[in-house]
Structures are given as structure tokens and as C-alpha cells.
Amino acid sequence: MNPSDPTPSPKAVGEAVLKLLAGLKGREELSAERIERETGWHLQRSENSARIGASLGPDWGYSLELLTPAGSQRQQLRFEYRRKREDADAICDPDLERYAATLEPLGYQRSPMSGEHDRPLGWSFQRPQLWIRIYTRAESDDAYDHECVSLITVE
């Protein structure tokens, strides 16, 4: 999947990211080559990063970036759904529970993440060599109890 290809479906993008995460054994496996192999996407590379992004229709887009932060030896992965319209309902297929149902049987321990004043931010999935953080948002103003994935970071 390249940015110039026809608009990918949000579900196909989410499932590709989920497949990538499920196949990782540890941080050392984070590489542009692996991401390209697992997702079929062609990443644009620079000295300290590799990235891709595309539109998912009129309301949403996505971006994925693999980078080595300044002063660090470790790669980090960041995947994000980007809203184009403020009133667009969230992308919920796959939703948080689909990610959890895939990651927990692989040995990840799930724990809540919260922000200031205990505001829920999402969930952390950890095992010895990998830490996946999944930030969530409500599907819509009417479905606030359905957690949809908005941002994923991997370290």
C-alpha cells in the first residue's frame, strides 16, 4: 500500500498494523524492512526515520513512523489515525478489544493509562522486551463507551 494507491480501507490499515504488532518478539525487531514486509507498504526513508501516510477517505488519514529519537539507540514506532473533520466518528474496526484479544494471548500484560486528574488515555500492553501503548477515543458522542484506537506507540 503506497500513498499513491487507491484509498485503502481503515479496516485493512488497522489489521496490517495489528499483524505487525502481533509478530514482534522484541524492540530489536523494529525495522523499516520488517514493517514493509509485514504490511506491504513502501516507507519513505531519511537518515533517522522511515514513514508512510495516506488518506482513508474524506474524514480520516493515517501516518506510521519508525524513528530513532535524538540521543537514543532504540527505534520507536508511532502509528496514528489523523482526523480531517472534527465531527467525524472514530475509526473502530479493529477496535481496542480486537487489539487486546490478539496481544494478551501473546503474553502482554494489559494495564490502564491515565492522564491528569485520572483521565483515561488508553491501555499499555507490556512484556519483557516490548511495550505497546494504545491511546483510545470514543467512537462518537453517542458511543462513548466503545474504545477506538487513535494512536499506537511501540518501544
Side-chain angles (χ1 to χ4, degrees):
M1 215 177 307
N2 292 311
S4 61
D5 288 346
T7 304
S9 77
K11 181 176 182 168
V13 169
E15 290 291 339
V17 171
L18 183 55
K19 177 185 171 195
L20 172 67
L21 297 178
L24 291 172
K25 302 282 188 270
R27 250 183 306 258
E28 69 282 352
E29 292 185 345
L30 284 174
S31 69
E33 294 78 15
R34 183 177 188 112
I35 293 168
E36 288 179 339
R37 186 175 65 247
E38 295 289 327
T39 64
W41 302 340
H42 177 71
L43 303 178
Q44 297 174 331
R45 298 177 196 215
S46 65
E47 185 177 335
N48 291 323
S49 71
R51 63 183 60 162
I52 188 171
S55 175
L56 294 171
D59 298 335
W60 289 91
Y62 77 92
S63 66
L64 179 141
E65 182 175 28
L66 178 68
L67 59 106
T68 304
S72 176
Q73 299 294 334
R74 294 184 178 175
Q75 297 255 8
Q76 294 178 346
L77 179 71
R78 179 183 174 96
F79 171 81
E80 183 173 14
Y81 287 114
R82 298 194 174 200
R83 191 185 302 226
K84 295 179 186 178
R85 283 191 13 235
E86 193 60 37
D87 62 340
D89 286 349
I91 294 174
C92 275
D93 191 9
D95 64 3
L96 173 71
E97 291 310 314
R98 170 87 167 90
Y99 279 83
T102 299
L103 296 173
E104 289 175 322
L106 296 173
Y108 286 91
Q109 298 298 309
R110 179 179 175 177
S111 57
M113 298 185 306
S114 54
E116 193 172 283
H117 305 295
D118 291 327
R119 182 176 58 92
L121 296 175
W123 298 89
S124 171
F125 294 85
Q126 287 183 277
R127 63 182 189 194
Q129 295 300 314
L130 209 52
W131 188 0
I132 299 172
R133 292 182 191 105
I134 300 179
Y135 296 83
T136 60
R137 66 168 47 106
E139 182 173 4
S140 68
D141 291 340
D142 297 326
Y144 59 88
D145 58 340
H146 186 196
E147 289 183 278
C148 304
V149 174
S150 63
L151 168 68
I152 299 171
T153 62
V154 182
E155 296 181 42

